[in-house]
Amino acid sequence: MKNWKFLSLIFAMLIFVLAACGGSDESTDEGNNAANEDQNTEEAGNENNEADSTYPMTVSPTVASSESRDGEATYTYEDVTFESMPERIVVFDYGFLDTLDALGVEGVVGVAKDSTLPSHLEDYSADEYTNIGTLKEPLLEDIAALEPDVIFISGRQATFYDQLKEITPNVVFVGTQQDDYWNTFLASVDIAAKMFGKEAEAEEHLAKIDSAIEEVNALAGDYETSLVTMYNEGKLSGFSTNSRFGYIYDIYGFKPVTEDIESSSHGSNFGFEAILEFDPEVLFVIDRTAAVGGDSNIKADMENDIIKKTTANKNNRIIYLDGALWYLSGGGLESELAKVEEILNELK
């Protein structure tokens, strides 16, 4: 009997000790969880503080001013000061939308859907993004209803600059300039990266583009002459160095067959006979007709008896370039890489 009482006493003590240990462990776990939560909250707070520390931020347009295509009007764009990071974003420029998408920026609420969205931006045709019109005709009332924190525009919306500023003073010009395309493209990327805290992501994308450009530079060195043209409903226009597609020469490294081409946004008239006369080794053809949703007969029109005599045709170096990519959606991180890769794939 004494042994039984003794064992019972020991058993009771063990239960007490185990209960105490369990309580201690639970308390420790709760303490650790609370510490982890505090740490996570602190880290999140630090991230928010870092983002907030960049604001107020003054953002400059990619160009100070631009002219209308007929040269009769000049539009001047102002710096914009933001007190905090914009959360409701309206974007007209497809190139800038491309960059925001590549960087993972959230908050886009309005997109110009009535123009032809590039295929890699088709997700923005979804109902969650409000249609704000075409690239040339904004739906001002619909934009105002969105109560945007910022509106990003480029040249096609220049005539509506003042009207858009009545909706919000935070209208930023992020378009490229034809006579300084590459630098204005880089400036637009810098705007997106700094405004939305995506500098590291932007550097990664730009490094990929630089690498691809090095490859295309090496291939371009194999040719003495080249010509960039644009096809539009059976007619051609030519582009030289000082033009919207001049970066094919200046950045990609192709040598222009002539620099004596009038600079304009749609190029100068360039007949098939002129192409044969200059006889480039590489002929680039951008399909504008397809880009704007027309019925394109580009290959049938280009494969005529005159073009067949050119060196480019004989060497299988007529390069047909994606119209929507080159004509509508350039100036973005994804589209600029896609352009270089398109040429690489054609020439390799």
Side-chain angles (χ1 to χ4, degrees):
M1 181 67 70
K2 291 181 179 179
N3 289 337
W4 179 83
K5 290 182 178 180
F6 179 72
L7 290 173
S8 296
L9 179 61
I10 293 176
F11 182 69
M13 293 176 64
L14 285 172
I15 290 176
F16 176 78
V17 171
L18 288 172
C21 289
S24 175
D25 289 342
E26 183 177 346
S27 175
T28 302
D29 289 340
E30 290 176 355
N32 288 337
N33 289 335
N36 289 335
E37 288 177 4
D38 289 342
Q39 182 177 357
N40 292 335
T41 301
E42 182 179 352
E43 290 174 355
N46 289 338
E47 290 178 2
N48 291 333
N49 288 337
E50 288 174 5
D52 292 341
S53 68
T54 62
Y55 286 88
M57 177 188 295
T58 298
V59 177
S60 298
T62 51
V63 296
S65 64
S66 66
E67 292 186 352
S68 60
R69 287 179 177 173
D70 58 14
E72 295 183 0
T74 299
Y75 309 103
T76 302
Y77 311 110
E78 300 175 350
D79 291 354
V80 179
T81 298
F82 293 87
E83 296 300 321
S84 60
M85 183 184 296
E87 295 181 355
R88 297 182 60 79
I89 305 166
V90 164
V91 191
F92 277 98
D93 186 74
Y94 288 159
F96 198 74
L97 177 63
D98 169 329
T99 291
L100 295 179
D101 184 72
L103 296 179
V105 173
E106 298 180 353
V108 173
V109 294
V111 176
K113 296 184 187 180
D114 285 342
S115 291
T116 306
L117 272 170
S119 58
H120 68 289
L121 297 175
E122 275 298 322
D123 287 349
Y124 290 94
S125 63
D127 291 341
E128 64 182 290
Y129 305 102
T130 297
N131 178 30
I132 56 173
T134 71
L135 295 176
K136 293 183 178 180
E137 293 291 338
L139 298 173
L140 297 173
E141 292 183 2
D142 294 349
I143 296 169
L146 289 172
E147 298 183 349
D149 298 321
V150 62
I151 302 174
F152 293 111
I153 69 167
S154 52
R156 290 182 174 93
Q157 302 85 48
T159 57
F160 294 92
Y161 179 62
D162 289 334
Q163 289 172 274
L164 292 170
K165 285 183 65 179
E166 292 177 4
I167 296 172
T168 173
N170 301 335
V171 180
V172 182
F173 186 92
V174 291
T176 55
Q177 190 83 336
Q178 75 172 36
D179 59 356
D180 194 19
Y181 181 88
W182 202 253
N183 286 327
T184 46
F185 155 62
L186 294 176
S188 73
V189 173
D190 189 58
I191 288 172
K194 288 182 177 177
M195 284 188 68
F196 299 101
K198 300 289 185 179
E199 288 93 340
E201 291 87 343
E203 287 180 8
E204 290 179 9
H205 283 278
L206 290 172
K208 291 178 182 178
I209 294 174
D210 289 342
S211 178
I213 288 175
E214 286 183 12
E215 287 188 63
V216 84
N217 281 168
L219 293 177
D222 294 336
Y223 306 97
E224 290 298 322
T225 57
S226 64
L227 177 64
V228 181
T229 63
M230 185 164 65
Y231 171 88
N232 186 20
E233 297 181 351
K235 297 180 180 179
L236 288 177
S237 51
F239 297 84
S240 190
T241 52
N242 189 29
S243 71
R244 68 187 296 179
F245 302 116
Y247 54 92
I248 292 181
Y249 308 112
D250 302 331
I251 304 297
Y252 295 3
F254 290 93
K255 302 178 184 67
V257 71
T258 178
E259 295 189 9
D260 189 22
I261 300 177
E262 181 183 353
S263 176
S264 70
S265 61
H266 284 87
S268 61
N269 292 333
F270 221 79
F272 297 119
E273 292 83 1
I275 293 176
L276 178 57
E277 180 182 347
F278 286 113
D279 197 22
E281 293 182 26
V282 183
L283 178 63
F284 297 102
V285 189
I286 298 164
D287 192 349
R288 180 187 181 277
T289 302
V292 297
D295 294 327
S296 177
N297 297 311
I298 185 168
K299 288 199 174 181
D301 289 338
M302 290 297 298
E303 293 172 1
N304 57 56
D305 291 338
I306 298 173
I307 296 299
K308 285 180 180 178
K309 296 177 183 178
T310 64
T311 300
N313 180 72
K314 292 175 182 177
N315 293 338
N316 194 30
R317 284 296 177 261
I318 297 180
I319 310 299
Y320 295 99
L321 299 175
D322 181 276
L325 175 64
W326 288 79
Y327 182 69
L328 291 178
S329 69
L333 285 170
E334 295 176 88
S335 58
E336 291 305 326
L337 178 59
K339 287 178 182 179
V340 186
E341 290 179 338
E342 185 176 24
I343 292 180
L344 285 174
N345 291 334
E346 292 289 339
L347 294 181
K348 282 183 176 180

